Amino acid sequence: MTTLKLYNTKTRTKEDFAPIDPENVRMYVCGPTVYDRAHLGNARPVIVFDVLYRLLRHVYGAEQVTYVRNFTDVDDRINQTAQDRKAAGEAGTLEELIRARSEETISWYHADMDALGALRPDHEPRATEFIDQMVMMIEDLIEKGHAYPAEGHVLFAVESYAAYGALSGRSTDDMIAGARVEVAPYKRNPMDFVLWKPSTDDLPGWDSPWGRGRPGWHIECSAMAHDILGAHFDIHGGGNDLQFPHHENEIAQSTCAGHDFANVWMHNEMLQVEGKKMSKSLGNFFTVRDLLDQGVPGEVIRFVMLSTHYRKPMDWTEKKRQEAEKTLRRWYRLFDGSVSQFKEPEFDAALKDDLNTPRALTACHRLANANDDMALFRNLSILGLFNGRVPKWAEQPETDLSDMEDKLKSARIAALESKDFSALDTLKNALLEAGVEVQMSKDGVSLKPTPGFDPSKLEALK
């Protein structure tokens, strides 16, 4: 039997995974701050740890695994949206408007992640529901000499924890630069971080021994993880952008509170788009919902994500999207209504080797080429690419827009030569009216059907 191996950021080695209790395997993953739609980069940790969750359930049993992913619903951006709505005349108290905004964005998040085939975690705690636990942990840290109150704030004393920086492997100077630390007169050390901060009357707040205020970001996950999973659990995960300062600070405050906390720390790498960092300024920033609304199936998004190992940077490209859709269409057509329980050794070995999903997909390719569809769909189920039925989009015939692309290219060349763009604009508008997304750049033109595509409207253009 192949042993599950996972890369532990804390030890910087790939280790045999040995759960504290095989009948109670526990995992905590840092979830979203619910202030807006989830962008494509937010989807990567969801998919990575969903595969790990499925694998753990497969190995240890569905009832023996507990997965927790939180919602951060205490945030300045959420507050600002609520304040703007209140200023615009929307009814309700600020707290009610904040709650409404959080409910709205959580519902968006669920819908988008469901579309990607992600299972809901066993617990999805909200920070606002665990304020008492946070206050108790902060009081304990003060009593043990690891935190101190100052001007309505409570700060963690970094110098009280000698192992600070072990997770990220950073020097003090690097950590100060990386954390963009706030220079404040009430801090004993520039690295000390906020556990509690005061709230003004126009911001949400809770009563505490240090006055009305709200928690710092880092204490939220420590308190929620401890309350639901206990002082010692198996896996803590998230994107590598959280490694410092968030996870570093979680370890410091939880350890100093007397908790063993997590044995294994896992981090996925970041995402790029067409070889560049995703950003609004570059015009390559988009949400999961943007892709879904453009007609990109959730299974295709997931396949592209799984085609790169989670510890390597992932590059989202249009070419990869097209290839993923083509592959999945071919695979889904092999489904005959049955799924094997046979354990395909190569696939299992790949997935148990630190979630080597690219290698696991290679095994799927081999099974598809050998027409071993029963084993193929068992494997796709573990990867979250198959839920027992072929998705509707894969049952529909592929749309061939190559003739229309050639026609649009010719019209564009003619327009550039004659400086008369009327015919090009007419053709482009007709395509848009038919539900075709039109992309034109110096590299050429690209056409893609949207969910509202009506092929009958293209007949007059042929």
Side-chain angles (χ1 to χ4, degrees), residues 225-247:
H226 175 259
D227 191 79
I228 299 172
L229 297 178
H232 192 196
F233 55 94
D234 297 293
I235 300 168
H236 194 311
N240 70 352
D241 57 324
L242 300 180
Q243 187 174 323
F244 182 83
H246 185 51
H247 290 169

Side-chain angles (χ1 to χ4, degrees), residues 9-227:
T9 306
K10 196 170 185 179
T11 61
R12 292 168 179 76
T13 58
K14 193 189 296 185
E15 305 171 345
D16 289 351
F17 177 66
I20 299 164
D21 178 359
E23 296 187 358
N24 185 21
V25 183
R26 289 156 289 167
M27 176 170 70
Y28 185 95
V29 174
C30 290
T33 301
V34 286
Y35 67 94
D36 208 342
R37 286 278 188 187
H39 60 70
L40 189 60
N42 298 143
R44 194 176 193 198
V46 173
I47 293 172
V48 166
F49 291 103
D50 180 68
V51 171
L52 178 56
Y53 180 43
R54 290 170 181 271
L55 180 60
L56 292 172
R57 287 161 60 97
H58 175 67
V59 173
Y60 297 100
E63 302 302 318
Q64 278 65 55
V65 180
T66 302
Y67 175 21
V68 180
R69 187 183 65 219
N70 73 293
F71 287 117
T72 295
D73 57 350
V74 182
D75 182 78
D76 290 340
R77 290 163 293 191
I78 302 172
N79 297 342
Q80 186 60 56
T81 299
Q83 289 169 327
D84 292 344
R85 289 181 176 182
K86 190 170 182 64
E90 193 165 330
T93 65
L94 183 63
E95 286 75 11
E96 289 170 341
L97 293 175
I98 288 172
R99 180 74 180 185
R101 177 59 172 171
S102 297
E103 292 285 353
E104 179 181 43
T105 50
I106 287 173
S107 68
W108 292 346
Y109 186 83
H110 276 149
D112 294 348
M113 298 308 116
D114 289 352
L116 300 182
L119 299 172
R120 299 276 180 96
D122 300 289
H123 301 275
E124 294 183 289
R126 302 185 189 192
T128 53
E129 297 171 348
F130 288 78
I131 300 297
D132 289 345
Q133 291 88 331
M134 296 174 203
V135 169
M136 289 174 61
M137 183 175 281
I138 294 169
E139 287 181 310
D140 185 48
L141 288 169
I142 293 174
E143 185 178 332
K144 291 175 177 175
H146 295 292
Y148 58 94
E151 298 183 24
H153 297 74
V154 179
L155 296 116
F156 181 86
V158 168
E159 289 181 344
S160 73
Y161 180 57
Y164 191 77
L167 179 70
S168 58
R170 300 187 182 205
S171 68
T172 301
D173 289 343
D174 288 341
M175 288 188 286
I176 290 175
R180 295 188 180 93
V181 298
E182 177 190 4
V183 177
Y186 49 78
K187 283 189 176 185
R188 296 176 184 172
N189 182 316
M191 285 299 298
D192 293 350
F193 57 88
V194 172
L195 300 174
W196 189 265
K197 54 188 173 183
S199 287
T200 56
D201 292 339
D202 61 339
L203 290 172
W206 292 264
D207 292 332
S208 80
W210 319 286
R212 182 176 179 274
R214 59 196 192 279
W217 175 33
H218 313 300
I219 196 69
E220 295 174 10
C221 286
S222 284
M224 288 185 281
H226 175 259
D227 191 79

